[in-house]
Each structure stands twice: as C-alpha cells, then as structure tokens.
Amino acid sequence: MPLPKTEKPPPRIQIQAVTPQIDCGRYPVKRTVGDRIDVTARIFRDGHEILGAAVRYKEAGATRWQESPLEPLGNDEWAGAFAVESCGSWCFRVEAWVDRLGSFQDEVRRKVAAGQADLAGELSEGAHLLGRDGLTVEEALAAVSAERSEKAWSATYGIDVDRVLARFGAWYELFPRSFGGFEGVRAVLPTLKELGYDVVYLPPVHPIGRSNRKGRNNAPAAGPDDPGSPWAIGSELGGHDAIDPGLGTLDDFARLVADAKALGLEIALDFAIQCSPDHPWLTQHPEWFNRRPDGTLKYAENPPKKYQDIYNVNFDSPDWKALWAALRDVLLTWVGRGVTVFRVDNPHTKPVPFWEWLIREVRREHPEVVFLAEAFTRPAMMTTLAKTGFGQSYTYFTWKNTRWELLELMGQLLDWAPYYRPNFFANTPDILHEYLQQGGRPAFEARLVLAATLSPAYGIYSGFERCENVPVREGSEEYLNSEKYETKERALDGPLLPLAARLNVARRENPALQYLDNVTFLETENEQLFAYLKRTGGNAVIVVVNLDPFATREGVCLLPVSTGLPPAYRVHDLLDDADWTWHIGRNYVRLAPGKSHVLRIVR
C-alpha cells in the first residue's frame, strides 16, 4: 500500500460509530420539528492527549454551521444533542480535536500529584504553548485557551425533518361524493374538528373515465347511473390536475381547503399514478403506457383482482424523463392549491429512484408536504420507501389481531423506528378484516383503541364508526356495496364517534400517546388481554384491551419494579372517568368483550 499523498501525516484522532445514521449514512434519519437529536460517537486517539468534541449541524442551504458540545461518557464514548426547529433537510457531523493546553495541564497535574518538584522543562513547554515567559505552576494550571489542534471530523449525515403531523395525527377517510361533494364535506368539517381529527383524506377527486367503467360491487359492466371508481382517473374533462365536476369546481375545492385550514385541519389527496382509458395522456403521450406485442394496452391486475378500467404508466418508457416531470408537476399543481398531505396509492409498484427524486423535488421548495405510502408489501420495499422520503406508511396492523401478532408487528416497527413512521388505519375501502366481520361492535371498539394508542398516527375509513362489517362474499375483505363503485348517503352519526372523540382528546392531552418507541409491553396472564405502558417525560398511560369480541375476560396487569413506578399510585381512566389505586405487581382486570382501559397515572 503506497504512502498517503499528503504533506501532513493522516489524522490520529479516530471517530467511529456515529449515531444516528441509516445504512452507513445512505439515507437520512427521520425527525419532526422540535425534536432533540441525540448524537453519540466513539472518539479516541493514541497517546494521552486530552480530546474535545462537538456536533456541528445546519439546515440545507445554510452557510454557517451551528455547534453543540459532546461530553465524554467514559471508555471513549461521547454524547450530545441539538434540536431541529424547521421542516426540511438538515445535516450534522462530529468534530474532534486535541486540547493542547488541557493535555499539558493534565500532565502537570499528574506530576504534581506524584510529588515531582522539578517541572522547569514542562513549564518551558507551557510558556511556548501560551506565548508567555516566567510561567509558574499555578499560572500554568489556571490558563485558558480555546485552541483546537489536530482537528478531525466524521462523515456528514442527513436528517429529514417533517412537521409534527407526519408523526402524530388522526386521519378520517371519506368519499366526497357520498357527502354531497365538496360543499357537503365543508359542512362536516367542524364536526370532524370537534371529534379530534387532524387530516381529512379524500380518494381521487379527478374526472372518472367511462370506458370499461366498473359497476356496483366491482361488476365488469356499469349501469347508466353508476359513477365508477375514483381510481379510474381521467376523461375528456381532464386528468390528474382536473376536478370531477360531480364534486364541484376548483373554486369549491379552494373553499374546502381554506375552511379546513381555518379549523386546523388538513385536506389530504390521493396520488394514484394510473389512468383510465379516457385519460388525456393516452392520446397525448401513448409512449408512457405499457402495450402487449399485439399493440393492445395492458390493464392493471392484482390477481384475483382485475382493474379493466385502469392502465398503469410505463416507467421504462424511452420518454421517462418527461413522464417523471409530468407527475412532479401534478403534485406541484395541487400544492399550489393548498394541499400539503398526499396519500400515495401503491408506491411499491413504482421505481424507488423515482420516489426519491420526486419527494426531494417537491419538498425542496415545499418542506411542509407529507407523503403517506399505501405500501402493503414486503419489509425490504416498505422500509426503503420510508428511507427515500415517505413520511408515513400503512402497515399490516389491520391483519394483526392476536396478542402475539401484535407483539410481532410492534417489535418489527420498533426496529424500524429511526426512519419508518406507521399509520395504523383500522380499516380501508379495500380491507374489511374477518375480525371485524365476525366480532361486531366489540371488535370495532378494540381495534379503535389499539390503533389510537399503539401508534401516534392512525386513521379510520368512513363507516367504521357505524360498525359496517358485511363483506361482498364469505372469505372476501371487500365490502358489500363498496363505496368505491357507488355513491352512498353518508352522515357523521355512528355509535363509535363518542369513543373516537374520547381517544382523540386523550391522545392530544397525553404526550405518551404521541410517540411510538416509548412502549413497554406488560404481562396479563391471559392471552386475550393485551396491555402496555407508554411514557414520555412525566406522562404515563397504561392501556389494557380485551381482544376477545365475544366474551368477558379476567386477568391481571403486571407492572414490574423495573418500570420505576411508585409502590402504589392513582390511575384515571380516560374512557369512563373512573379512578383506582394501582400497584407495582399484579393489578386485577376484568373487561367486557372488546372493552378497554386507558389509564393515565396520576400519582
């Protein structure tokens, strides 16, 4: 190996094991505005010199670094922190240096402590270091200097900072056409705000194609009055940047967005990269679509499901750059109309480099934009999408209904926590799980409590609050008379709304329910009772859920000494306002089918 081609010897200070970082710095870690970034590193040097260290950080585009000290923890481990105060890209690196004066003073102190009297040589070194003559031992030990020698630094690591909404928020999904269009949705915004929701998510609001339009219950042929699926985007009236006239006008949509913002709500739109056969792009840019060897277009399929009313775009098109740019421009159009939250349909079927580019392009100018990935797929793809910029993701929560399934899911999500933020949707227009079909209202209650207290972000699709649970056929997760293919007459009047409102108040008033990775799972001595403790700062909440929708279950909630709680303490149930005294150790619990305790520790 040849000698280094530098005038000076290589740095002797070693900076290793810097945290936080993702995949050796390939991707940024995720945080939200106001978060504290805890930084650790292993820093050392040969010899006995005294070292100093700091973390330097800045926002993207800033010219000056800010600095926060790192403190030695012993055994070459160092730690410090800084806060991120705005959305967008941040970066940090660890710097270390030799403290020449500190090293000199440490040597002198050790020799004085050992009884050495002749320190003339050492004091001459100190005089040279300080630039002064006639230095005494006392003066040498009292001197102060900010000089940093042998400076070394780590690689630079990224931080992707989102709004708090990317971590914590309650979502409500509705089809505008079932509420009377945009004006009807405007009318229910105050109620949604009172219920404690933060995001009102709308499926695609664009013109719906007529060719191959689906009928009720996904019938291959539509009747004359069937509205079709909103995901069959595009007609002679326009494409992804246009509004379905049956919902209202662009002015109506603008009023909806403005009213929502005035109430502190967000309107989230669906971003689905697919087109009906009538979308303008098919005639304007036929090269953007997949064709079979015989020249026919290939419609979308996810066996056994067939989507004859939808064509996917061809990301391998020779004109891929123009396609990417067009999709970016669609998003920027809606951002310009006030939309800053997007639920992205099936991102795992599109190229990862496309998402990394697209999200970076949008958030460079609009860092407040939040992207939710509807990616029900393998862990490698789900996590990579999160790393590339998606602020939230759907999860497999809907299918995890037993204690062990929930523990397995949470274990995986906790491993992914530095870059993956789960959104626990309890149902979707596509997913009516067997647990809800068979368990009735108790199943809906249990799932609502789990979704709202296990994850800081959760959502429900309209109809959940009414315990709608009839599938199109046995063994299917599709709803009978699915709203995807017909217009319903909706109102916010379901029997579960009071529970949802209670939970949303509890979430807002208790910081412990606003984070994912602050959970401790508790023993119950009953497989049907699922319990956990969540703590942030001085706030602590215990949740116990009866997973059995058919029977009352009894057991205990075991609080170990390792929780650090006092021997006895008061708890207040945030669902029914009851108060009890609980203890370290075993606490008796008896819950009716699907019922729960959400207990704030009062102390």
Side-chain angles (χ1 to χ4, degrees), residues 12-18 39-45 51-55 70-72 74-79 94-97 152 154:
R12 295 169 70 174
I13 296 175
Q14 302 296 304
I15 302 175
Q16 301 176 357
V18 177
V39 177
T40 64
R42 185 177 305 121
I43 305 172
F44 61 96
R45 180 191 184 279
L51 303 183
V55 56
L70 294 179
E71 301 296 337
N75 205 27
D76 300 325
E77 301 296 329
W78 295 68
V94 169
E95 293 194 2
W97 57 89
S154 71

Side-chain angles (χ1 to χ4, degrees), residues 172 190-197 492 497-498 500-502 504-505:
Y172 186 88
T191 302
L192 288 167
K193 178 63 176 179
E194 290 174 7
L195 290 168
Y197 287 98
L492 292 174
L497 289 180
R502 279 261 181 175
N504 287 336
V505 168

Side-chain angles (χ1 to χ4, degrees), residues 171-387:
W171 292 52
Y172 186 88
E173 178 180 359
L174 61 83
F175 282 70
R177 66 191 185 191
S178 295
F179 282 83
F182 297 142
E183 290 301 301
V185 177
R186 284 181 67 203
V188 299
L189 289 179
T191 302
L192 288 167
K193 178 63 176 179
E194 290 174 7
L195 290 168
Y197 287 98
D198 303 289
V199 180
V200 183
Y201 156 49
L202 312 181
V205 296
H206 318 299
I208 299 171
R210 288 205 164 271
S211 299
N212 302 331
R213 176 177 287 191
K214 291 298 187 74
R216 296 191 174 196
N217 291 314
N218 201 23
D225 298 323
D226 288 337
S229 167
W231 282 272
I233 297 169
S235 75
E236 72 280 0
L237 300 174
H240 283 74
D241 56 357
I243 289 282
D244 180 354
L247 303 178
T249 64
L250 279 173
D251 287 340
D252 295 331
F253 182 79
R255 284 191 290 270
L256 172 63
V257 172
D259 284 4
K261 289 189 181 298
L263 290 168
L265 293 168
E266 294 270 356
I267 298 296
L269 286 190
D270 197 282
F271 182 51
I273 303 178
Q274 57 206 35
C275 301
S276 87
D278 306 319
H279 195 292
W281 284 352
L282 273 88
T283 54
Q284 296 169 0
H285 301 283
E287 68 279 8
W288 289 357
F289 296 88
N290 290 293
R291 295 183 182 274
R292 292 187 173 90
D294 64 0
T296 59
L297 282 166
K298 184 177 181 180
Y299 62 75
E301 292 187 75
N302 184 18
K305 297 179 181 180
K306 295 184 177 183
Y307 304 99
Q308 296 93 334
D309 54 341
I310 292 172
Y311 294 139
N312 290 321
V313 301
N314 178 16
F315 278 96
D316 293 321
S317 167
D319 196 29
W320 63 272
K321 289 185 179 180
L323 173 61
W324 285 28
L327 292 168
R328 175 202 59 199
D329 292 347
V330 165
L331 285 175
L332 292 177
T333 294
W334 289 106
V335 173
R337 293 168 179 168
V339 178
T340 52
V341 182
F342 294 93
R343 179 267 198 190
V344 178
D345 192 66
N346 287 325
H348 54 288
T349 61
K350 287 80 179 175
V352 168
F354 165 73
W355 292 121
E356 190 167 15
W357 172 84
L358 180 72
I359 295 173
R360 184 175 63 244
E361 282 283 294
V362 172
R363 296 196 69 226
R364 183 175 60 237
E365 299 298 327
H366 305 280
E368 73 280 8
V369 174
V370 175
F371 292 91
L372 167 64
E374 188 235 11
F376 297 112
T377 185
R378 301 178 304 282
M381 178 59 82
M382 293 173 74
T383 55
T384 299
L385 289 169
K387 293 172 185 177

Side-chain angles (χ1 to χ4, degrees), residues 132-184:
R132 44 190 292 196
D133 296 326
L135 194 67
T136 66
V137 170
E138 291 75 16
E139 290 172 336
L141 294 178
V144 176
S145 173
E147 181 186 359
R148 298 177 177 184
S149 301
E150 294 188 30
K151 288 175 63 174
W153 48 87
S154 71
T156 299
Y157 302 99
I159 308 170
D160 189 8
V161 182
D162 285 294
R163 289 186 290 156
V164 171
L165 183 67
R167 169 176 51 81
F168 171 69
W171 292 52
Y172 186 88
E173 178 180 359
L174 61 83
F175 282 70
R177 66 191 185 191
S178 295
F179 282 83
F182 297 142
E183 290 301 301

Side-chain angles (χ1 to χ4, degrees), residues 478-492:
E478 288 278 349
Y479 286 84
L480 178 65
N481 302 324
S482 171
E483 200 170 2
K484 291 186 294 182
Y485 307 107
E486 63 182 80
T487 301
K488 296 182 178 292
E489 293 186 6
R490 291 287 197 192
L492 292 174

Side-chain angles (χ1 to χ4, degrees), residues 31-35 37 58-60 62 66 83-91 159-164 363 367-368:
R31 295 293 188 271
T32 54
V33 172
D35 280 354
I37 312 299
K58 65 177 182 177
E59 295 181 75
Q66 301 181 67
V84 287
E85 302 296 345
S86 62
C87 292
S89 296
W90 288 64
C91 62
I159 308 170
D160 189 8
V161 182
D162 285 294
R163 289 186 290 156
V164 171
R363 296 196 69 226
E368 73 280 8

